[in-house]
């Protein structure tokens, strides 16, 4: 099937290299086409970009990756929050019993430092209203090659982004090259990076301006047509 393809598309250069190593004969056919931004969703959030003192994490934990735990996200963050004006974290998504057990344990353990609120799945317009009014946005990934789609959802919302990821992963690469994004090593989380993110997140009504033309739907369509 792959031999008969004209082009094989990957959403990042890490996957491209992995495919080229596995299928050397197909290397000339493999191209990178990064996800685009859902511009309709960003139009819906206009007028909702006031800043409230909370951080938002959207997604799942163990349901999508057994290595992704709530504690790996919250423990280093709560330590830095002790000296921040932000005292609330909202977790939005699908969580299993193990996640809720861990969340309840952490709520009790950290109740003096931070309020932890959980919300279930919701419509995209509701989700973007939370993104737009948050102080900052949180990501977590245990993969070297996968670039979370949530990263692209976050990018068009003009707020700081903090990603907990593996050093030298594709998510780390994109966070480091994008304005107002911070990456923290999951294995050895650096408090200085987290504090820098929290400082940026604490600025009242300060929006992040990013050059995202390369992620627009028009750019995506033009590049896709160039492969045909």
């Amino acid at each position: 099937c792959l031999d008969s393809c004209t082009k094989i598309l990957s959403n990042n250069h890490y996957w491209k290299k992995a495919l080229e190593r596995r299928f050397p004969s197909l290397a000339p056919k493999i191209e990178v086409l990064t996800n685009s931004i859902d511009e309709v969703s960003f139009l819906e959030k206009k007028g909702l970009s006031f800043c409230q003192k909370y951080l938002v994490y959207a997604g799942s934990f163990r349901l999508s990756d057994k290595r992704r735990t709530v504690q790996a996200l919250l423990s280093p963050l709560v330590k830095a929050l002790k000296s921040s004006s932000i005292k609330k974290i909202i977790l939005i998504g699908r969580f299993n019993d193990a996640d809720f057990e861990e969340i309840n344990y952490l709520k009790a353990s950290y109740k003096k430092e931070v309020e932890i609120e959980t919300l279930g799945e919701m419509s995209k317009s509701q989700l973007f209203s939370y993104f737009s009014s948050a102080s900052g946005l949180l990501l977590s990934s245990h993969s070297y090659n996968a670039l979370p789609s949530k990263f692209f959802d976050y990018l068009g919302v003009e707020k700081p982004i903090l990603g907990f990821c593996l050093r030298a992963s594709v998510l780390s690469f994109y966070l480091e090259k994008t304005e107002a994004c911070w990456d923290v090593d999951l294995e050895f989380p650096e408090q200085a990076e987290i504090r820098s993110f929290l400082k940026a997140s604490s600025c009242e009504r300060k929006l992040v301006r990013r050059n995202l033309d390369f992620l627009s739907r028009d750019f995506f369509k033009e590049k896709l047509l160039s492969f045909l």
Side-chain angles (χ1 to χ4, degrees):
C1 181
L2 289 176
D3 288 330
S4 63
C5 293
T6 304
K7 292 291 181 183
I8 301 168
L9 303 181
S10 166
N11 83 331
N12 68 73
H13 62 284
Y14 278 50
W15 275 125
K16 181 178 188 291
K17 290 178 181 177
L19 287 168
E20 288 172 343
R21 287 194 298 269
R22 186 168 181 180
F23 306 106
S25 64
L26 300 177
K29 297 183 178 183
I30 302 171
E31 301 281 357
V32 173
L33 184 61
T34 306
N35 293 31
S36 68
I37 285 174
D38 187 346
E39 293 161 286
V40 174
S41 294
F42 299 143
L43 289 174
E44 291 173 354
K45 61 87 182 176
K46 294 301 181 185
L48 293 170
S49 48
F50 52 88
C51 184
Q52 297 189 29
K53 294 294 185 181
Y54 61 73
L55 305 176
V56 168
Y57 170 86
S60 59
F61 289 101
R62 291 175 179 84
L63 280 172
S64 57
D65 189 331
K66 292 181 180 179
R67 300 168 296 175
R68 188 182 300 154
T69 65
V70 188
Q71 184 150 2
L73 174 76
L74 294 187
S75 290
L77 192 56
V78 170
K79 185 177 180 181
L81 282 172
K82 291 179 180 179
S83 56
S84 170
S85 60
I86 299 170
K87 300 297 181 185
K88 183 176 181 178
I89 300 172
I90 299 178
L91 309 175
I92 305 173
R94 291 177 59 218
F95 310 123
N96 62 18
D97 291 341
D99 293 332
F100 278 117
E101 183 177 343
E102 189 177 16
I103 290 168
N104 289 333
Y105 170 78
L106 294 173
K107 279 184 177 181
S109 300
Y110 297 143
K111 63 182 179 182
K112 293 183 179 178
E113 288 88 5
V114 64
E115 177 188 354
I116 302 170
E117 180 181 350
T118 55
L119 298 173
E121 292 181 284
M122 58 183 65
S123 69
K124 204 156 192 176
S125 60
Q126 288 177 303
L127 194 57
F128 274 82
S129 71
Y130 276 97
F131 293 171
S132 300
S133 58
S135 298
L137 306 170
L138 306 171
L139 275 173
S140 178
S141 174
H142 283 71
S143 171
Y144 277 104
N145 293 331
L147 189 55
S149 59
K150 196 63 63 183
F151 175 58
F152 296 94
D153 289 341
Y154 283 177
L155 276 177
V157 183
E158 299 162 321
K159 299 298 173 69
I161 299 170
L162 177 67
F164 290 83
C165 52
L166 299 172
R167 186 62 66 214
S169 66
V170 65
L171 179 56
S172 175
F173 172 83
Y174 275 92
L175 286 167
E176 287 180 0
K177 68 178 289 189
T178 307
E179 300 96 329
C181 292
W182 288 259
D183 67 308
V184 175
D185 189 347
L186 273 168
E187 298 175 342
F188 304 100
E190 311 91 338
Q191 285 294 302
E193 284 290 296
I194 300 173
R195 285 194 295 269
S196 177
F197 160 77
L198 291 174
K199 183 178 179 180
S201 299
S202 298
C203 296
E204 292 286 353
R205 299 184 178 276
K206 182 179 180 181
L207 300 180
V208 175
R209 303 299 180 188
R210 297 185 175 103
N211 179 9
L212 300 174
D213 291 343
F214 72 103
L215 293 177
S216 71
R217 285 290 174 89
D218 288 342
F219 182 88
F220 181 91
K221 290 174 184 175
E222 286 175 14
K223 191 166 184 181
L224 181 60
L225 288 172
S226 73
F227 296 146
L228 300 179

